[in-house]
Amino acid sequence: ILQTMNTLATQVANGGTQTTTTLAASQAEFASLQSELDQIAASTNFGGSSLLNGSYAGQTFQVGPYNTASDQIVITIAASDSTALSVNSAAVSIGTVSAAEAAMTAVQAAISTVALQAAHVCATQNQMTSLSANLTTAQENIQAAHANLVDVNVAQATTQFASMQILEQSGMSVLYQAQHLPSLAQKLLQ
């Protein structure tokens, strides 16, 4: 919308090609775009919270396991209506060539403001994505460590069991032979 407003202001600033009719039509379209900008700012919401009317300020997102500033992200989205961006009908118009030139400057400043706000929101989104990836990795590492502590190594346990069984059977065999040895000695002497 702001790009279209800038295009209209640029066209009107080219005074040599404008007539009273084209100036009036351009001004009507410009005013319509100002209203559309206000409508979008007023109606954009998520989860019942308005995002672009200036009321979305100081919202805290808990992104870590502790109630500390390093585990929270605070975001504020500034108002993005025509008044906040200084491109409302009271501030700018394109009814004349000189007004269109002033409107170009105001609209370009508004475009820069919106771009800065978008960059801030995107940077916060990227920060949340990185934190989410780090938390996922930490959770996987904790689960792997827990599994190493709790899970049984089946191959090692089976080997130990078989070894103990062989030792037990060998011991029983030696004990059996030791018990029968005196009787064998008596048989030989007889």
Side-chain angles (χ1 to χ4, degrees):
I1 292 171
L2 290 170
Q3 290 291 356
T4 304
M5 290 172 76
N6 190 47
T7 301
L8 282 172
T10 303
Q11 289 171 352
V12 171
N14 187 6
T17 60
Q18 301 299 320
T19 66
T20 306
T21 306
T22 58
L23 285 174
S26 294
Q27 177 57 42
E29 185 178 355
F30 195 81
S32 176
L33 291 169
Q34 290 167 324
S35 296
E36 188 176 345
L37 192 63
D38 290 336
Q39 186 274 330
I40 289 171
S43 65
T44 301
N45 65 58
F46 180 78
S49 296
S50 294
L51 300 177
L52 301 177
N53 67 358
S55 65
Y56 199 81
Q59 299 297 320
T60 302
F61 290 89
Q62 184 69 38
V63 295
Y66 303 107
N67 186 22
T68 62
S70 61
D71 287 333
Q72 297 171 341
I73 295 176
V74 179
I75 186 170
T76 298
I77 301 175
S80 296
D81 60 1
S82 64
T83 302
L85 296 173
S86 300
V87 292
N88 60 337
S89 57
V92 294
S93 72
I94 57 170
T96 65
V97 172
S98 61
E101 290 169 347
M104 285 173 56
T105 302
V107 170
Q108 289 167 2
I111 290 170
S112 295
T113 300
V114 170
L116 185 63
Q117 289 175 10
H120 176 68
V121 170
C122 288
T124 303
Q125 181 181 7
N126 289 339
Q127 183 181 10
M128 286 183 175
T129 301
S130 295
L131 286 170
S132 175
N134 287 342
L135 289 173
T136 300
T137 301
Q139 182 180 13
E140 289 171 357
N141 290 342
I142 289 170
Q143 287 174 344
H146 181 266
N148 286 340
L149 291 173
V150 175
D151 291 349
V152 175
N153 184 337
V154 175
Q156 183 181 10
T158 304
T159 303
Q160 276 183 325
F161 177 72
S163 176
M164 293 302 223
Q165 265 189 329
I166 291 170
L167 287 174
E168 181 184 358
Q169 289 171 358
S170 299
M172 289 176 66
S173 175
V174 168
L175 183 63
Y176 176 78
Q177 289 174 5
Q179 286 177 349
H180 288 90
L181 191 59
S183 66
L184 285 175
Q186 277 182 352
K187 282 186 183 179
L188 283 176
L189 290 175
Q190 289 176 357

